[in-house]
Amino acid sequence: MTTLGAIGATPQPGSATKKAFGNTPEGQPIDLYVLTNRGGTEAAITNYGGAVVSLKVPDRNGKLADVVLGYDTADGYVNDKSYFGAIVGRYGNRIAHAQFVLDGKTCTLAKNNGENSLHGGIKGFNKAVWTAKVLSTKDGQSLELSYLSKDGEEGFPGNLKVSVIYTLTDANALRIEYSATTDKRTVVNLTNHSYFNLAEQGSGDILGHQLMIQADKFTPVDASLIPTGELRDVTGTPFDFRKSTAIGARIDGDDEQLKLGGGYDHNFILRRSSDLRASLAARVVEPTTGRVLEVWTTEPGVQFYTGNFLDGKATGKGGATYPRRSAFCLETQHYPDSPNQPKFPSVVLKPGERYHTITTYRFSVEK
Ligand code: GLA
């Protein structure tokens, strides 16, 4: 093990260590970086897909538990189909019929989700080996991951230089700062696909977690989970999470949208206080342990997904199994299918511009 920062074979508070995590099928080595803050909170991140492999945070009694789903080995990530913990790009979420028109030219992508493109295509950013660099920043330990997505990769135009900086702060937050530049007009929508279970990964379903989402509207979908274009008021629907409500309270009702998603798998339109500064998007409380997760973001939307496609077949960390709805995701993002929906906020990045978004997962406890 190489130690970067503090000395020692096991992670020390306020340190970053690096160890070998295995190889890609092509034989390229993959590493695991463990960031630890002064309170003992720990985030392990691999440069394969930039995935958050584990995140150990305290409960109301100070007991640490790993609150994200994942795998013990690199092979788990190589074979993964659920995007556990990964950086998703170049376009997170769906693009209808795997194509869009940009500057009069049709860009054709791979259909990897029925007729649609999902999460960047067949080999998205979640399957790339990123270049990693440990940084010591003023508020914590950081890992900078860089990746050059070449012109034409998965059908997207332009060489896209991407940087993602993960920072584990001493205030128990995991901040993710995404930046990108391009040499041709392109579309970009980056997110992180962590699956959370605040009781502990592998400990059962998340239906009892209490969720608040700061959204007055959401984007209803069709049968292939593509937004219809409507921005629907959440009032009187199971999508109204403006007051904290158990995730499971309404999930199996006869709402048409919940039936289409097999549960929640929808983009919520965030109420935002400013376009430049991060706003509170969502707050989740796990009542038995008291763990609280707040999601803050500069993004206009968040995909709330209740792990409806998890089937319990993959072997998770420590032999855990992950059945349906054993975790939830809050993927901060631009709205799905924006390249084909002129009324949605634009996802076009031009040469000379810089894509820059920040999402922070803040952990705390409630008594
Ligand atoms: C996103 C999608 C879901 C599903 C997961 C990955 O959250 O919206 O429909 O594809 O990713 O399994």
Side-chain angles (χ1 to χ4, degrees):
M1 180 189 289
T2 319
T3 304
L4 308 154
I7 300 159
T10 48
Q12 300 293 310
S15 70
T17 61
K18 170 186 170 184
K19 56 185 168 187
F21 194 49
N23 294 298
T24 66
E26 297 76 34
Q28 206 176 339
I30 304 167
D31 296 314
L32 186 69
Y33 293 82
V34 182
L35 312 181
T36 311
N37 77 5
R38 292 186 200 284
T41 293
E42 185 195 288
I45 297 161
T46 172
N47 65 327
Y48 185 79
V52 176
V53 171
S54 71
L55 193 51
K56 294 178 186 161
V57 300
D59 69 4
R60 61 163 73 91
N61 301 313
K63 186 170 169 271
L64 292 179
D66 186 356
V67 296
V68 292
L69 274 48
Y71 307 101
D72 283 325
T73 64
D75 281 356
Y77 290 90
V78 167
N79 298 319
D80 167 81
K81 292 191 173 58
S82 304
Y83 303 85
F84 283 172
I87 297 168
V88 175
R90 180 178 306 200
Y91 195 91
N93 217 305
R94 292 176 174 79
I95 297 180
H97 306 293
Q99 63 175 44
F100 60 95
V101 177
L102 189 62
D103 298 331
K105 270 192 222 138
T106 301
C107 300
T108 306
L109 314 169
K111 294 179 177 171
N112 64 334
N113 188 245
E115 277 297 292
N116 305 322
S117 161
L118 175 68
H119 292 334
I122 293 167
K123 189 171 185 288
F125 292 3
N126 60 308
K127 299 287 182 198
V129 178
W130 295 63
T131 303
K133 192 169 154 198
V134 170
L135 310 170
S136 207
T137 42
K138 61 176 189 318
D139 55 349
Q141 301 292 322
S142 301
L143 180 70
E144 180 177 32
L145 298 172
S146 322
Y147 176 63
L148 171 67
S149 170
K150 297 228 173 91
D151 186 13
E153 185 180 278
E154 293 293 326
F156 292 99
N159 288 296
L160 189 77
K161 273 193 199 159
V162 190
S163 144
V164 175
I165 302 177
Y166 282 106
T167 300
L168 179 66
T169 75
D170 286 325
N172 282 356
L174 184 66
R175 186 174 68 227
I176 316 177
E177 196 173 342
Y178 305 85
S179 310
T181 54
T182 183
D183 61 0
K184 270 188 201 166
R185 283 165 74 101
T186 190
V187 296
V188 188
N189 188 28
L190 306 179
T191 192
N192 175 276
H193 211 303
S194 285
Y195 285 71
F196 296 97
N197 183 326
L198 299 180
E200 183 165 23
Q201 64 97 19
S203 71
D205 72 58
I206 43 72
L207 301 176
H209 286 53
Q210 297 279 332
L211 168 71
M212 186 280 293
I213 307 181
Q214 294 255 65
D216 303 309
K217 290 181 180 162
F218 74 107
T219 50
V221 292
D222 68 14
S224 70
L225 300 182
I226 294 290
T228 58
E230 180 191 348
L231 310 183
R232 189 176 292 173
D233 191 334
V234 297
T235 309
T237 77
F239 292 81
D240 192 346
F241 281 99
R242 291 173 295 188
K243 275 202 209 117
S244 188
T245 308
I247 291 177
R250 301 163 296 187
I251 199 168
D252 285 321
D254 57 11
D255 179 88
E256 175 232 1
Q257 282 296 316
L258 286 174
K259 290 217 160 105
L260 290 172
Y264 295 98
D265 193 353
H266 294 79
N267 171 63
F268 287 70
I269 298 176
L270 295 171
R271 230 191 255 165
R272 294 194 306 159
S273 48
S274 141
D275 271 355
L276 298 173
R277 296 235 311 275
S279 304
L280 178 66
R283 186 169 193 272
V284 192
V285 180
E286 199 291 299
T288 65
T289 60
R291 288 195 186 88
V292 178
L293 164 64
E294 282 184 5
V295 182
W296 290 71
T297 189
T298 57
E299 291 278 38
V302 68
Q303 183 84 5
F304 171 48
Y305 170 57
T306 42
N308 313 308
F309 294 119
L310 294 175
D311 59 8
K313 285 189 188 144
T315 306
K317 287 178 284 186
T321 54
Y322 303 134
R324 186 160 185 253
R325 298 183 181 163
S326 57
F328 64 89
C329 301
L330 287 163
E331 304 154 56
T332 56
Q333 61 180 9
H334 267 257
Y335 312 165
D337 197 33
S338 293
N340 292 309
Q341 305 244 8
K343 289 193 182 138
F344 289 177
S346 170
V347 288
V348 175
L349 183 71
K350 302 172 193 144
E353 290 178 346
R354 179 168 174 251
Y355 172 94
H356 185 233
T357 72
I358 301 175
T359 293
T360 305
Y361 294 108
R362 292 192 192 171
F363 294 93
S364 59
V365 290
E366 245 179 38
K367 291 295 164 200

